[in-house]
Amino acid sequence: MKQAILLFQAPDQQGIVHKITKFVLERKGNITELEQFVDNTNKKFFMRIVWQVENQNACATNIDTDFKPIASELSATFNTYCSDQIDRMALFCSATQHCMAEVLLEHAQGDLQLEIPLIISNSKKCEPLAKKFEIPFYFISTKTPQKEFEQQQLNLCKQNKIDFIALARYMKILSPEFVQQYPNKIINIHHSFLPSFIGNTPYQDAYNRGVKLIGATSHFVIPQLDEGPIIEQDVKRISHAFDTEELIAAGKEVEKRVFLYALKKYTQRKLMIDEGKVVVFE
Amino acid sequence: MKQAILLFQAPDQQGIVHKITKFVLERKGNITELEQFVDNTNKKFFMRIVWQVENQNACATNIDTDFKPIASELSATFNTYCSDQIDRMALFCSATQHCMAEVLLEHAQGDLQLEIPLIISNSKKCEPLAKKFEIPFYFISTKTPQKEFEQQQLNLCKQNKIDFIALARYMKILSPEFVQQYPNKIINIHHSFLPSFIGNTPYQDAYNRGVKLIGATSHFVIPQLDEGPIIEQDVKRISHAFDTEELIAAGKEVEKRVFLYALKKYTQRKLMIDEGKVVVFE
Amino acid sequence: MKQAILLFQAPDQQGIVHKITKFVLERKGNITELEQFVDNTNKKFFMRIVWQVENQNACATNIDTDFKPIASELSATFNTYCSDQIDRMALFCSATQHCMAEVLLEHAQGDLQLEIPLIISNSKKCEPLAKKFEIPFYFISTKTPQKEFEQQQLNLCKQNKIDFIALARYMKILSPEFVQQYPNKIINIHHSFLPSFIGNTPYQDAYNRGVKLIGATSHFVIPQLDEGPIIEQDVKRISHAFDTEELIAAGKEVEKRVFLYALKKYTQRKLMIDEGKVVVFE
Amino acid sequence: MKQAILLFQAPDQQGIVHKITKFVLERKGNITELEQFVDNTNKKFFMRIVWQVENQNACATNIDTDFKPIASELSATFNTYCSDQIDRMALFCSATQHCMAEVLLEHAQGDLQLEIPLIISNSKKCEPLAKKFEIPFYFISTKTPQKEFEQQQLNLCKQNKIDFIALARYMKILSPEFVQQYPNKIINIHHSFLPSFIGNTPYQDAYNRGVKLIGATSHFVIPQLDEGPIIEQDVKRISHAFDTEELIAAGKEVEKRVFLYALKKYTQRKLMIDEGKVVVFE
């Protein structure tokens, strides 16, 4: 049965929940999920609410239009979705393929509700894996000048009507110009527990510092490297006996898990951004 | 600032949240926390809602009376609390004292919002610790006949206006009659990951089975031993190298942690019971 | 550089390490890994020792012969391996494919040091995945009489010189006769934290009991169902809000992780069995 | 039964284990624990070996003398201990008392094998807790000039024959001069997952960055703030809903756990330092 999803944020004030539930009730919606969060520090109210829509044609577009006056009254910003909208995701990859592979496998098994119209890579090594899962693959040589490189990427994304981009251990920094084309719509997996070990040799750095846990962080990409809003993090216990190679091997599992978690939450419309931080609904 | 807390459950139906938030709005309450859960299997709706009350005299009692008609209309059961109500907890202990000690320490440091008017034990070994934390201590000899033993316990609890009971590794089984005096108001810590290793030698059983994680479970007590609704569980990694004594030592930390978590959630009015299971609000 | 691996167990006694290291030293071996474990309860000594062999032809076979007198003297049992020996593993699968898929993916990426000469399944659903990874696939219908079914399995394993068998959520019980053909050489993944929820509906049982963590267990198969020596276990936090379907989905990741861990430890010759329990070397 | 403990490190070379076990065997010692680690990056060998000594008078001192020639031959450094030697630990505390309290409680319950001859604090708030556990308490005012302050600390430690110092959330930076008096003998608990959030407001910094896990790190103190060799780290999941105060509250449990773990490993002679990192034996 089709469901409508509303993500909502506004200055905190009395009566918000009441107004929104009235809106749902007037449409004979049955609320199946409702989660709210009040950011007391910044006096902001966040809500995710899901309801079964009676009129199957009325999902999302109509709701969006109808809700505008209420949002305006509450000085709110919001987004509406219908549970049958499926996002189109571009996968950007480099030579290290475990995150890419995990996404393709989960997708093939029906555990990721999205379409993957294309894979773009700066490494030809990814091609066999893309073929195995029958996803169109585009190689762009790292020798291509940066501007042209990104223009090609952008064209491919536009042509394929990409909704958001997943960087599966993509080891090429995106320019601020590119990032601005997909604001809060690019998700990266970084192979450390941020803000520890920013940069491109986190396992080497972790080895040098002698940490007892290694981690991974999935975050939205902003122009500042590795500083975007964090969606999910996790860690894994290691010991003094791990050299850098072993840290890299041990970290794969955490990276895959954290990355997938972030992509799932994103496709489930469970992420909102608040002051450079991510509200993650259950 | 005083807050009202409402715990609510009813058959799932349209318009519940709307009705409840209307009730709050009419009292000029500002909602600070709202969490709901729909048990789709059993078609039941659960909610915990907290709001700042404008009229400081109106907390809890008045609300309770005023809310009755709404509850009745929705075929709901509910409880109301005021944030300044502090529960009175009896601590039941035996010779093994780490859970008792942790509770007393957290309480002394102001990290547990409750009063501990008394400790009851079937072991005199607990007395020095009770004294250290200046809590009245009552010893009842295990030689006392069961009926008399429990009558003494009950009298002490009644005299001290006890709201709920915490069994801190209390190694004496409570009779169904006693349990019925405090329905869903007795919290136990069991030293295994239930339903594994029911009974009184869980670490020995864990050793024999060769498990790779040991655990602890905090649950409400019902007449059936170790089968009450589970509030919280956690585990800790161990290895083949742990003998039974080492498992016992390693488990202490998990038991303390899980027990404290359950007591805190209880005092924060964040637990509801649903078909033998516990809804734990964030 | 080639390495010799010795797994050793004997009644605990003075001088064992000295004798074994003497043996290595006489062969000019450089010890790279040494781990021992004394089971004090049963007075048994376990050791895993790895050394670089000088003479590249002398690995494993020679060592095995040379070591026999020492083992005999110490009343020990032992196994020797050469680091370049690669086990041949049969993968047994049913309709639920996430564990099978993870193994194939890790194998394809070079992260599992073994060969997979064949997949045997009682479900045709697995065939496309087997094909994707180019592994020979054999379907045996569940309508085949049990004896004949197992005979076919056995023949396929023998013809393919299978060293050990991995049951990737294989939902068919193996007869004691079959199990005895591969003693301590069949590894299963069970979708619960054993000994909780033995049987074939562990997630349903976990839902009914209201546990707060779900788990997975990888173990050697013995004739008694779900009672074999445990290699690895792990858990994942869930909440009251998960219905059975969601528990199943959430559990996939833990099952995959635990299963892979067990297979890796097995192929690294890091598992020994002690009184129905598994010694897992680091 | 008394046990001898040897911590040993040397350039990696053939025959080390053989030589050491020969030494033990000549003394009719029965090895109960043996763990080794080869740092392949730096070609260094580390070992911890424990054996039951036959002659109860021969523990530690004699061994130390007897072992010197072997150590010299192998260019090794080493330390020997007898299992009945109990370290004397000074506890340094400030106003935040949960770590101090946990150490005192564990100590009182017999779960920490050490003596605590004194507590030194720059806050009088700690005095009641010290008294509760009957440990001599010394207050040094923060108004005392730095040099004099540290001289008083040092005098107290010397007078009390202190072996090592535990900083239980001690919020005063020790001078390099003081640190050098107890090289690798001062253990601190830092309230973040180092190297993230160095400095004295880690929870505020964690809040600002929007991390999804908070952590704690126990480390040896060196003159460079928060850069000493890491003994242990752990983390705890938090969410966007935690404000700074809630992060502080949630972190207490991790800090206590990590700090205790480090102190226990230290007193069990299971820590060795290798190139600014800590080898932690099981």
Side-chain angles (χ1 to χ4, degrees):
Chain A
M1 201 174 175
K2 232 188 268 188
Q3 302 201 304
I5 302 164
L6 170 66
L7 292 183
F8 173 97
Q9 68 179 84
D12 195 21
Q13 56 201 286
Q14 276 190 8
I16 299 181
V17 184
H18 190 63
K19 279 200 179 104
I20 295 176
T21 54
K22 178 164 175 259
F23 175 84
V24 174
L25 201 60
E26 285 167 356
R27 274 145 194 82
K28 298 210 169 71
N30 193 34
I31 299 170
T32 54
E33 298 175 46
L34 184 161
E35 207 178 342
Q36 73 156 63
F37 162 58
V38 179
D39 175 345
N40 285 313
T41 312
N42 300 299
K43 307 293 170 212
K44 285 167 76 176
F45 175 95
F46 295 81
M47 191 161 104
R48 178 179 183 271
I49 179 167
V50 182
W51 66 92
Q52 289 173 335
V53 291
E54 213 195 25
N55 178 349
Q56 294 298 306
N57 300 321
C59 195
T61 359
N62 294 14
I63 288 166
D64 203 82
T65 312
D66 294 358
F67 193 72
K68 267 181 190 147
I70 298 171
S72 166
E73 200 182 313
L74 295 165
S75 310
T77 57
F78 73 100
N79 285 98
T80 58
Y81 305 90
C82 193
S83 58
D84 60 359
Q85 283 171 253
I86 303 295
D87 273 349
R88 295 169 64 82
M89 179 182 86
L91 202 51
F92 284 21
C93 308
S94 292
T96 305
Q97 294 170 52
H98 57 280
C99 286
M100 169 200 186
E102 184 78 357
V103 168
L104 295 177
L105 191 60
E106 286 276 313
H107 181 249
Q109 301 225 287
D111 289 331
L112 255 181
Q113 297 306 316
L114 47 75
E115 288 176 35
I116 308 178
L118 83 165
I119 292 170
I120 297 176
S121 181
N122 58 358
S123 165
K124 282 193 173 162
K125 287 187 188 165
C126 302
E127 193 160 14
L129 195 60
K131 280 203 170 145
K132 197 187 282 296
F133 288 93
E134 296 165 22
I135 311 280
F137 178 84
Y138 299 90
F139 167 72
I140 309 178
S141 165
T142 46
K143 288 172 192 155
T144 317
Q146 170 76 355
K147 264 212 151 153
E148 196 187 321
F149 192 105
E150 292 209 334
Q151 192 55 53
Q152 286 188 37
Q153 282 185 144
L154 195 58
N155 291 346
L156 282 166
C157 288
K158 296 293 179 197
Q159 287 156 18
N160 284 279
K161 298 198 178 86
I162 288 307
D163 293 303
F164 80 105
I165 297 167
L167 309 182
R169 294 292 309 274
Y170 189 57
M171 299 306 283
K172 191 169 162 49
I173 295 168
L174 299 172
S175 74
E177 291 70 34
F178 187 90
V179 172
Q180 278 150 22
Q181 296 285 325
Y182 289 94
N184 297 334
K185 294 188 167 184
I186 307 176
I187 294 176
N188 184 42
I189 178 72
H190 183 74
H191 39 319
S192 84
F193 184 78
L194 288 175
S196 289
F197 313 132
I198 284 173
N200 64 355
T201 58
Y203 288 116
Q204 183 62 50
D205 300 342
Y207 173 79
N208 291 339
R209 183 61 185 92
V211 291
K212 296 301 182 190
L213 303 168
I214 52 167
T217 303
S218 190
H219 62 91
F220 285 112
V221 173
I222 60 170
Q224 292 74 22
L225 183 66
D226 297 336
E227 298 198 355
I230 293 170
I231 301 167
E232 170 70 347
Q233 304 187 287
D234 210 350
V235 295
K236 182 172 184 164
R237 188 158 290 278
I238 50 100
S239 80
H240 58 267
F242 286 65
D243 63 23
T244 305
E245 286 311 303
E246 289 166 320
L247 292 183
I248 289 169
K252 284 180 177 181
E253 176 240 307
V254 196
E255 293 171 36
K256 283 159 40 167
R257 180 153 37 100
V258 167
F259 191 42
L260 264 179
Y261 180 94
L263 297 180
K264 283 186 183 173
K265 286 290 181 186
Y266 184 86
T267 59
Q268 294 164 350
R269 327 293 183 189
K270 290 188 170 176
L271 305 180
M272 296 187 78
I273 293 183
D274 171 33
E275 308 276 326
K277 297 189 275 188
V278 185
V279 176
V280 182
F281 290 115
E282 290 297 311
Chain B
M1 202 177 175
K2 232 189 268 188
Q3 302 201 304
I5 303 165
L6 170 66
L7 293 182
F8 172 99
Q9 69 178 84
D12 195 20
Q13 56 201 288
Q14 275 188 11
I16 298 180
V17 184
H18 190 61
K19 279 200 178 103
I20 294 176
T21 53
K22 180 164 174 260
F23 175 83
V24 174
L25 202 59
E26 285 168 355
R27 273 146 196 81
K28 300 214 167 68
N30 193 34
I31 299 170
T32 53
E33 299 175 45
L34 185 161
E35 206 177 340
Q36 73 155 63
F37 162 58
V38 179
D39 175 346
N40 284 314
T41 313
N42 301 298
K43 307 293 172 214
K44 283 165 76 177
F45 175 94
F46 296 81
M47 190 162 106
R48 178 179 183 271
I49 180 166
V50 181
W51 66 91
Q52 289 173 335
V53 291
E54 215 195 23
N55 178 348
Q56 293 298 305
N57 301 320
C59 194
T61 358
N62 294 14
I63 289 166
D64 202 83
T65 312
D66 295 357
F67 193 72
K68 267 180 190 149
I70 300 171
S72 165
E73 200 182 314
L74 296 164
S75 310
T77 56
F78 73 101
N79 286 97
T80 57
Y81 305 90
C82 194
S83 59
D84 60 0
Q85 283 171 253
I86 303 295
D87 273 348
R88 294 168 65 81
M89 178 181 88
L91 202 51
F92 284 21
C93 308
S94 293
T96 304
Q97 296 168 51
H98 58 280
C99 286
M100 169 202 186
E102 184 78 356
V103 169
L104 293 178
L105 191 60
E106 286 275 313
H107 181 250
Q109 301 224 287
D111 289 332
L112 257 179
Q113 297 306 316
L114 47 76
E115 287 176 35
I116 309 178
L118 83 166
I119 292 169
I120 297 175
S121 180
N122 58 357
S123 165
K124 282 194 174 162
K125 285 188 188 163
C126 302
E127 193 162 12
L129 196 60
K131 281 204 169 146
K132 199 189 280 295
F133 287 94
E134 296 164 21
I135 312 280
F137 177 83
Y138 298 90
F139 167 72
I140 310 177
S141 165
T142 46
K143 290 171 191 157
T144 317
Q146 169 78 355
K147 262 213 152 151
E148 196 187 319
F149 192 106
E150 292 208 336
Q151 193 55 53
Q152 285 188 37
Q153 281 186 145
L154 195 58
N155 291 346
L156 283 166
C157 287
K158 296 294 180 195
Q159 287 156 18
N160 284 281
K161 299 199 177 85
I162 289 307
D163 293 304
F164 79 107
I165 296 167
L167 309 182
R169 292 293 306 275
Y170 188 57
M171 297 308 279
K172 189 168 165 52
I173 295 168
L174 299 173
S175 73
E177 291 70 33
F178 186 90
V179 171
Q180 278 150 22
Q181 295 287 325
Y182 289 94
N184 297 333
K185 293 189 168 184
I186 307 176
I187 294 175
N188 184 43
I189 177 72
H190 183 75
H191 39 317
S192 84
F193 184 79
L194 289 175
S196 289
F197 312 132
I198 284 172
N200 64 356
T201 58
Y203 288 116
Q204 182 63 51
D205 300 343
Y207 174 80
N208 291 339
R209 183 61 186 92
V211 291
K212 297 302 184 191
L213 302 168
I214 51 168
T217 304
S218 191
H219 62 90
F220 286 111
V221 173
I222 60 170
Q224 292 75 24
L225 184 65
D226 296 337
E227 298 199 354
I230 294 170
I231 302 167
E232 170 70 347
Q233 304 186 288
D234 210 350
V235 295
K236 181 171 184 166
R237 188 157 290 279
I238 50 100
S239 81
H240 58 267
F242 286 65
D243 63 23
T244 305
E245 286 310 303
E246 290 167 321
L247 292 183
I248 289 170
K252 285 180 177 180
E253 176 241 307
V254 196
E255 293 171 36
K256 284 162 33 170
R257 182 152 38 101
V258 167
F259 191 42
L260 264 179
Y261 181 92
L263 297 181
K264 282 187 183 172
K265 286 290 182 184
Y266 184 86
T267 59
Q268 294 163 349
R269 327 294 183 188
K270 289 188 169 175
L271 305 179
M272 295 187 79
I273 294 183
D274 171 32
E275 308 275 326
K277 298 189 273 188
V278 186
V279 176
V280 182
F281 289 115
E282 290 298 311
Chain C
M1 203 177 177
K2 233 189 267 188
Q3 302 200 304
I5 302 165
L6 169 67
L7 292 182
F8 173 97
Q9 68 179 87
D12 195 21
Q13 56 201 288
Q14 276 189 10
I16 298 181
V17 184
H18 190 63
K19 278 199 178 104
I20 295 176
T21 52
K22 180 165 175 258
F23 176 84
V24 173
L25 201 60
E26 285 167 358
R27 274 147 194 80
K28 298 212 169 74
N30 194 34
I31 299 171
T32 54
E33 299 175 45
L34 184 162
E35 207 177 340
Q36 73 156 62
F37 162 59
V38 178
D39 175 345
N40 284 314
T41 312
N42 300 298
K43 307 291 171 214
K44 285 166 76 177
F45 176 95
F46 296 81
M47 191 162 105
R48 178 179 183 271
I49 181 166
V50 182
W51 66 92
Q52 289 173 335
V53 292
E54 215 195 24
N55 178 350
Q56 294 298 304
N57 300 321
C59 195
T61 358
N62 294 14
I63 288 167
D64 202 83
T65 313
D66 294 357
F67 193 71
K68 267 181 191 148
I70 298 171
S72 166
E73 198 182 314
L74 295 165
S75 309
T77 57
F78 73 100
N79 285 97
T80 57
Y81 305 90
C82 193
S83 58
D84 60 359
Q85 282 171 254
I86 304 296
D87 273 349
R88 295 168 65 82
M89 178 182 88
L91 201 51
F92 284 22
C93 309
S94 292
T96 304
Q97 294 168 53
H98 58 280
C99 285
M100 169 200 185
E102 185 77 357
V103 169
L104 294 177
L105 191 60
E106 286 275 312
H107 181 249
Q109 301 224 288
D111 289 330
L112 258 179
Q113 297 306 315
L114 46 76
E115 287 176 36
I116 309 179
L118 84 164
I119 292 170
I120 298 176
S121 181
N122 58 358
S123 165
K124 283 192 172 161
K125 286 188 188 165
C126 302
E127 192 160 14
L129 195 59
K131 281 204 168 146
K132 198 187 282 295
F133 288 93
E134 296 165 21
I135 311 281
F137 177 84
Y138 298 90
F139 167 72
I140 310 178
S141 165
T142 47
K143 290 172 191 154
T144 318
Q146 171 76 355
K147 263 212 151 153
E148 194 186 321
F149 192 105
E150 292 208 335
Q151 192 55 55
Q152 286 188 38
Q153 282 185 142
L154 195 57
N155 291 346
L156 283 166
C157 288
K158 297 292 181 198
Q159 288 156 18
N160 285 280
K161 299 197 179 86
I162 289 305
D163 293 303
F164 78 107
I165 297 167
L167 309 182
R169 292 292 307 274
Y170 188 57
M171 298 308 280
K172 191 169 165 48
I173 294 167
L174 300 173
S175 73
E177 291 70 33
F178 186 90
V179 172
Q180 278 150 22
Q181 296 286 325
Y182 289 94
N184 297 333
K185 293 189 169 185
I186 307 176
I187 294 176
N188 184 42
I189 178 71
H190 183 73
H191 39 319
S192 84
F193 183 81
L194 288 175
S196 289
F197 313 134
I198 284 172
N200 65 356
T201 58
Y203 288 116
Q204 182 63 50
D205 300 342
Y207 174 79
N208 292 339
R209 182 60 186 94
V211 291
K212 297 301 182 191
L213 301 168
I214 51 168
T217 304
S218 192
H219 61 92
F220 286 111
V221 174
I222 60 171
Q224 292 74 23
L225 183 67
D226 297 337
E227 298 199 354
I230 294 171
I231 302 167
E232 170 69 348
Q233 305 187 286
D234 209 352
V235 295
K236 182 172 183 165
R237 187 158 291 278
I238 50 99
S239 80
H240 58 268
F242 286 65
D243 62 24
T244 306
E245 286 310 302
E246 290 167 321
L247 291 183
I248 290 169
K252 285 180 178 181
E253 176 240 307
V254 196
E255 293 170 35
K256 283 161 35 170
R257 183 151 37 100
V258 166
F259 191 42
L260 265 179
Y261 181 93
L263 297 180
K264 282 187 184 173
K265 286 289 181 186
Y266 184 85
T267 59
Q268 293 163 352
R269 326 294 183 188
K270 290 189 169 176
L271 305 179
M272 296 187 79
I273 293 183
D274 171 32
E275 308 276 327
K277 298 189 273 186
V278 185
V279 176
V280 182
F281 289 115
E282 290 298 311
Chain D
M1 202 174 175
K2 233 189 266 188
Q3 302 201 305
I5 303 166
L6 169 67
L7 293 182
F8 173 97
Q9 68 179 82
D12 195 21
Q13 56 201 288
Q14 275 189 10
I16 298 181
V17 184
H18 190 62
K19 279 202 178 101
I20 295 176
T21 53
K22 180 164 173 260
F23 176 83
V24 173
L25 201 60
E26 286 167 355
R27 275 148 194 79
K28 299 210 168 72
N30 193 34
I31 299 171
T32 54
E33 299 174 47
L34 184 161
E35 207 176 339
Q36 72 156 64
F37 162 58
V38 178
D39 175 346
N40 285 314
T41 312
N42 300 299
K43 306 292 171 215
K44 285 166 76 176
F45 175 94
F46 296 80
M47 190 161 105
R48 178 180 182 271
I49 181 166
V50 182
W51 66 92
Q52 289 173 335
V53 291
E54 214 196 23
N55 178 349
Q56 293 298 305
N57 302 320
C59 194
T61 0
N62 294 15
I63 289 167
D64 202 83
T65 312
D66 294 358
F67 193 72
K68 267 181 190 148
I70 299 172
S72 165
E73 201 182 312
L74 296 164
S75 310
T77 57
F78 72 101
N79 285 96
T80 57
Y81 305 90
C82 194
S83 58
D84 60 359
Q85 283 171 253
I86 304 295
D87 273 349
R88 296 168 64 82
M89 178 182 87
L91 202 51
F92 285 21
C93 308
S94 292
T96 304
Q97 295 168 52
H98 57 281
C99 287
M100 169 200 185
E102 185 78 355
V103 169
L104 294 178
L105 191 60
E106 286 276 312
H107 180 249
Q109 301 224 287
D111 289 332
L112 257 179
Q113 298 306 317
L114 47 75
E115 288 175 36
I116 309 179
L118 84 166
I119 292 169
I120 297 176
S121 180
N122 58 357
S123 165
K124 283 194 172 160
K125 286 188 187 164
C126 301
E127 192 161 14
L129 195 59
K131 280 204 169 147
K132 199 189 282 297
F133 287 94
E134 295 164 21
I135 310 281
F137 177 82
Y138 297 90
F139 167 72
I140 309 178
S141 165
T142 47
K143 288 172 192 155
T144 317
Q146 170 75 355
K147 263 211 151 154
E148 195 187 320
F149 191 106
E150 293 209 333
Q151 192 55 53
Q152 285 189 38
Q153 282 186 143
L154 195 56
N155 291 346
L156 283 166
C157 289
K158 296 293 181 197
Q159 287 156 18
N160 285 279
K161 298 197 178 87
I162 289 306
D163 293 304
F164 79 106
I165 297 167
L167 309 182
R169 292 292 307 273
Y170 188 57
M171 298 306 280
K172 189 168 165 53
I173 295 168
L174 300 172
S175 73
E177 290 71 32
F178 186 89
V179 171
Q180 278 150 21
Q181 295 287 325
Y182 290 94
N184 295 336
K185 293 190 168 183
I186 307 176
I187 294 176
N188 184 42
I189 177 71
H190 183 75
H191 39 317
S192 84
F193 183 81
L194 288 175
S196 288
F197 312 133
I198 284 172
N200 64 356
T201 59
Y203 288 117
Q204 182 62 50
D205 300 342
Y207 173 80
N208 291 340
R209 183 61 186 93
V211 290
K212 297 301 184 191
L213 303 168
I214 52 167
T217 304
S218 191
H219 62 91
F220 285 111
V221 174
I222 60 170
Q224 292 74 22
L225 185 66
D226 297 337
E227 299 199 353
I230 293 171
I231 302 167
E232 171 68 348
Q233 304 188 287
D234 209 351
V235 296
K236 181 171 185 166
R237 187 158 291 279
I238 50 100
S239 80
H240 58 268
F242 286 64
D243 63 24
T244 306
E245 286 310 303
E246 290 167 320
L247 291 183
I248 290 170
K252 285 180 178 180
E253 177 241 306
V254 196
E255 292 170 37
K256 283 161 36 171
R257 182 152 37 101
V258 167
F259 191 42
L260 265 179
Y261 181 93
L263 297 181
K264 283 186 183 173
K265 286 290 182 186
Y266 184 85
T267 58
Q268 294 164 349
R269 328 294 182 187
K270 289 188 170 176
L271 306 179
M272 295 187 78
I273 294 182
D274 171 33
E275 308 274 327
K277 298 189 274 187
V278 184
V279 176
V280 183
F281 290 115
E282 289 297 311

